[in-house]
């Protein structure tokens, strides 16, 4: 492990051990302060965030984009402050921390016994939504996490999410898809963050007027297992409560090859994600390149957020 990796691991460990002990108003102020400091430095992440927002809000002035990127960094740090504190939240705090609309799509799907796939973009706090599902609905689920460096940091994230009631599988290694399919055939729930392809072999979609690549996994799982595929979008407001919406199911087309069906279904996911992102772009935490036109000419497996 390099010195940089040891430092990164130590910093995350320190945050998980200390931030969760802070009173909530103090944690909120700390998150905003750190966000504003990072935003003022205008590093690569902030510049990429602003560039991505320019695609979402193409008529935005430079001043409006600067406002959006500042709000975006505050939203991103809110996500981290909440995540560091979630292990210490009471069940009541978790239950009161999230209010989803159109939940019947999920509860009806689970009641049918056919299995449900929830697909989300990097909006607001997907970990909080997951904790709400395991706490309020008392429904465990399976998800996938990108392998991070150092390995000890990946282990921290796995332990954190398992502590919230999730079963976590590694993205790499090739066995995740089979395990997810088995969980769905047993009538279980699978949750996947699905607005950015980590395999460099995803499905091309039209997204805010240009071509991006998103993972094929949700659509393929739905086809292979008969599970219900539901897009979910999340958002913050000025209150301590996160809001969300469970969108109507993405149906499997009746005709076409598997690749054609996957393309249609993944585009439908992208369209649903776009509605939530367009309504609240500042809550979309995409600090990496996404659109093909922004990627380096030489293909290489992209990194990602945890």
């Amino acid at each position: 492990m390099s010195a940089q990796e040891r430092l990164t691991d130590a910093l995350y460990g320190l945050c998980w051990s200390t931030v969760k002990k802070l009173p909530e108003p103090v944690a909120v102020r700390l998150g905003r302060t750190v966000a504003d400091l990072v935003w003022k430095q205008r590093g690569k992440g902030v510049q990429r965030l602003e560039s991505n927002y320019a695609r979402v809000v193409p008529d935005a002035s430079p001043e409006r984009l600067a406002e959006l990127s500042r709000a975006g960094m505050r939203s991103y740090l809110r996500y981290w402050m909440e995540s560091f504190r979630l292990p210490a939240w009471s069940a009541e705090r978790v239950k009161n921390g999230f209010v989803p609309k159109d939940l019947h799509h999920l509860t009806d799907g689970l009641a049918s016994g056919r299995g449900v796939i929830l697909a989300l973009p990097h909006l607001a706090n997907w970990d909080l939504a997951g904790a709400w599902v395991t706490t309020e609905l008392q429904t465990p689920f399976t998800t996938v996490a990108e392998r991070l460096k150092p390995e000890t940091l990946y282990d921290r994230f796995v332990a954190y999410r398992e502590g919230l009631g999730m079963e976590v599988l590694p993205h790499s290694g090739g066995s995740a898809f089979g395990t997810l399919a088995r969980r769905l055939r047993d009538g279980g729930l699978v949750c996947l963050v699905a607005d950015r392809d980590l395999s460099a072999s995803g499905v091309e979609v039209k997204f805010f007027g240009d071509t991006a690549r998103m993972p094929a996994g949700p659509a393929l799982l739905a086809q292979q297992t008969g599970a219900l595929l539901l897009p979910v979008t999340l958002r913050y407001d000025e209150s301590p409560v996160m809001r969300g919406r469970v969108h109507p199911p993405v149906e499997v087309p009746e005709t076409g090859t598997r690749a054609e069906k996957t393309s249609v279904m993944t585009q439908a996911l992208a369209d649903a994600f776009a509605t939530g992102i367009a309504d609240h772009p500042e809550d979309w935490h995409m600090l990496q390149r996404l659109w093909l036109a922004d990627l380096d000419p030489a293909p290489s497996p992209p990194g990602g957020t945890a």
Side-chain angles (χ1 to χ4, degrees), residues 15 59 79 109 154 159 213 221 234 241-242 281:
C15 288
D59 58 348
Y79 159 77
Y154 170 76
R213 189 181 290 120
L221 283 167
L234 308 171
V241 179
M242 184 175 71

Side-chain angles (χ1 to χ4, degrees), residues 278-302:
D279 287 343
H280 297 275
E282 70 277 5
D283 290 327
W284 189 41
H285 308 150
M286 186 55 65
L287 281 73
Q288 299 84 20
R289 292 183 174 95
L290 180 71
W291 283 271
L292 299 191
D294 295 334
L295 297 176
D296 295 331
S300 60

Side-chain angles (χ1 to χ4, degrees), residues 98-103 105-107 116-126 128-130 132-133 189-195 218 228-235 242-250 268-277 284:
F98 179 45
V99 177
K101 287 176 55 179
D102 299 327
L103 186 64
H105 293 304
L106 171 57
T107 54
V116 176
I117 306 158
L118 297 181
L120 306 88
H122 285 81
L123 272 170
N125 191 339
W126 45 97
L128 172 55
W132 186 89
V133 167
L189 177 63
V190 164
C191 300
L192 300 170
V193 179
D195 57 343
L228 197 66
L229 176 55
L230 299 175
V232 177
T233 53
L234 308 171
R235 67 177 177 87
M242 184 175 71
R243 313 288 172 174
R245 178 189 174 197
V246 183
H247 294 253
V250 172
L269 281 181
D271 293 343
F273 294 166
T275 63
I277 294 168
W284 189 41

